[in-house]
Amino acid sequence: MREKISIIENIMSANDRLAEENRILLDQAGVFAINIMASPGAGKTMFILKTLEALDGRLRMGVIEGDIATSIDTEKAIAAGMPAVQINTGGDCHLDAVMVSNALKALPLNELDVVIIENVGNLVCPASFALGTHINVLIASIPEGDDKPYKYPGIYRGIQALVINKIDLLPYVQFKMDYFSEGVNILNPGLVTFPVSAMTGEGMHNWVNWLVNQVKG
Amino acid sequence: MHELAVTQSILDISLRHAQKANARQIVMIHLVIGKLSSIVDDSVQFYWDTIAQGTIAEGAILQFERIAAEMTCLNCGFIFEPSDVTFACPNCMSHTVKITKGDEMRLESIEID
């Protein structure tokens, strides 16, 4: 006998549940976690290293590096003096809550104030997978172009802060800040935004002061 | 590109509900997918044909109900489908708009034998 069963369940519900467990683990350890997303080459790793530098010891920071392959980013983080764990997704285009759960167990959470999770470079897939972090941050970079909010609306909608990196390149590329900001504002009204150059250090102090307030406030 | 994880989740949810209902076979799965959720139907189908093998969901038909993106103008109330290059309201040109449809990613129902 053919029978129809009504389900009405979010397809991502299993991941969402595990993300909640990650959040509980983080809260119990008193650790504030950040999911950093961006396209490849937006400057995620350098931004994280410069964040550590600008923090100047105000927060104890660890990182989880997500990449399809290699441990280049983790080696950089360890060289900078941070506890770091590498996740190689083996081809997956995003991190998910299970991968992060395993990585969190490998970090000395009780000795940390903040954990930055560097997601796989991609503007599509990471937006669908909650990790259990307290905030999601997107790094947009000037050379990517000003149309990205229109092309990748999903990722702009699920973030609590936006970093616009490589502003030192503004004189050399066509990037209409008004057009970019208009798209962002529709997708995520009132989003806190930090124009920075991780390379020159411009704007990094605004970001870091905000971060310290989020963690300790 | 993340359709494998999504497809696995569809299979897990379907099997859980089918087992609860003592089903012998899952015949049809009804999915509601919004245009903004970045899911490619063909990819889900491709993975499905592989991962459902050997389960009671093998051979089940995946039925995709596609929901178009929809914006509502908070200024004049006009409802429209956003264009690729601007989100402004085509009626009053306001930029105070809100996405009201297109995020859906639901497993609505299954049909079992």
Side-chain angles (χ1 to χ4, degrees):
Chain A
M1 253 275 286
R2 181 76 60 96
E3 188 190 345
K4 187 172 176 177
I5 304 175
S6 175
I7 292 177
I8 314 181
E9 189 167 321
N10 186 328
I11 294 169
M12 304 311 296
S13 56
N15 184 74
D16 291 347
R17 271 197 299 277
L18 284 166
E20 278 166 31
E21 286 174 23
N22 287 346
R23 174 70 76 89
I24 290 167
L25 177 76
L26 288 160
D27 284 341
Q28 280 169 350
V31 173
F32 187 85
I34 306 170
N35 174 20
I36 292 201
M37 301 179 284
S39 61
K44 291 184 293 301
T45 306
M46 188 190 255
F47 178 78
I48 292 168
L49 295 176
K50 294 292 182 147
T51 296
L52 177 76
E53 202 178 293
L55 276 170
D56 197 22
R58 280 186 281 169
L59 296 173
R60 297 169 298 171
M61 192 169 125
V63 293
I64 295 172
E65 295 285 350
D67 280 297
I68 287 176
T70 80
S71 58
I72 295 168
D73 291 349
T74 297
E75 283 157 22
K76 285 182 190 167
I78 289 170
M82 276 183 287
V85 177
Q86 182 76 41
I87 300 174
N88 281 137
T89 63
D92 265 355
C93 45
H94 58 272
L95 295 179
D96 64 28
V98 179
M99 298 179 202
V100 168
S101 166
N102 292 331
L104 285 173
K105 285 172 197 145
L107 276 177
L109 291 182
N110 291 328
E111 296 162 24
L112 298 173
D113 301 309
V114 60
V115 168
I116 294 188
I117 301 171
E118 181 179 339
N119 217 313
V120 179
N122 183 330
L123 293 180
V124 183
C125 314
S128 299
F129 293 83
L131 304 181
T133 52
H134 296 83
I135 55 171
N136 294 331
V137 176
L138 175 69
I139 303 179
S141 68
I142 297 299
E144 290 166 44
D146 50 24
D147 56 1
K148 293 300 166 287
Y150 303 89
K151 288 188 170 174
Y152 303 93
I155 204 147
Y156 279 85
R157 295 180 66 204
I159 54 173
Q160 287 73 43
L162 172 66
V163 173
I164 306 173
N165 193 19
K166 309 190 189 182
I167 52 166
D168 51 311
L169 297 181
L170 272 171
Y172 311 106
V173 293
Q174 280 202 328
F175 187 99
K176 293 194 212 80
M177 193 58 88
D178 286 353
Y179 180 62
F180 176 82
S181 301
E182 194 178 293
V184 173
N185 197 43
I186 284 170
L187 296 167
N188 200 328
L191 180 66
V192 55
T193 301
F194 300 97
V196 307
S197 166
M199 200 181 71
T200 68
E202 188 181 352
M204 287 301 287
H205 283 283
N206 290 337
W207 149 254
V208 162
N209 290 339
W210 180 83
L211 177 61
V212 171
N213 271 332
Q214 295 294 308
V215 176
K216 295 196 167 168
Chain B
M1 269 166 71
H2 52 299
E3 279 80 358
L4 175 55
V6 168
T7 312
Q8 184 65 51
S9 197
I10 294 169
L11 180 64
D12 293 344
I13 295 170
S14 305
L15 290 177
R16 179 158 43 83
H17 286 272
Q19 275 152 11
K20 242 193 302 186
N22 290 320
R24 283 186 301 115
Q25 186 73 38
I26 301 175
V27 185
M28 171 99 77
I29 295 172
H30 183 192
L31 303 163
V32 178
I33 310 285
K35 197 186 163 192
L36 297 172
S37 67
S38 317
I39 297 294
V40 180
D41 301 3
D42 284 351
S43 299
V44 173
Q45 185 70 57
F46 172 81
Y47 286 124
W48 179 261
D49 294 342
T50 306
I51 67 169
Q53 265 179 39
T55 74
I56 60 166
E58 184 173 344
I61 295 165
L62 298 180
Q63 190 186 61
F64 295 92
E65 183 184 334
R66 276 281 174 184
I67 309 284
E70 179 192 280
M71 283 185 165
T72 303
C73 178
L74 300 177
N75 184 45
C76 72
F78 191 67
I79 292 171
F80 60 99
E81 193 175 341
S83 82
D84 287 342
V85 290
T86 177
F87 294 144
C89 171
N91 186 46
C92 73
M93 305 317 287
S94 165
H95 289 109
T96 325
V97 301
K98 196 174 123 189
I99 295 172
T100 38
K101 268 186 196 164
D103 276 337
E104 297 78 2
M105 219 167 146
R106 283 199 312 270
L107 202 166
E108 198 78 357
S109 63
I110 57 176
E111 284 179 34
I112 57 169
D113 264 338

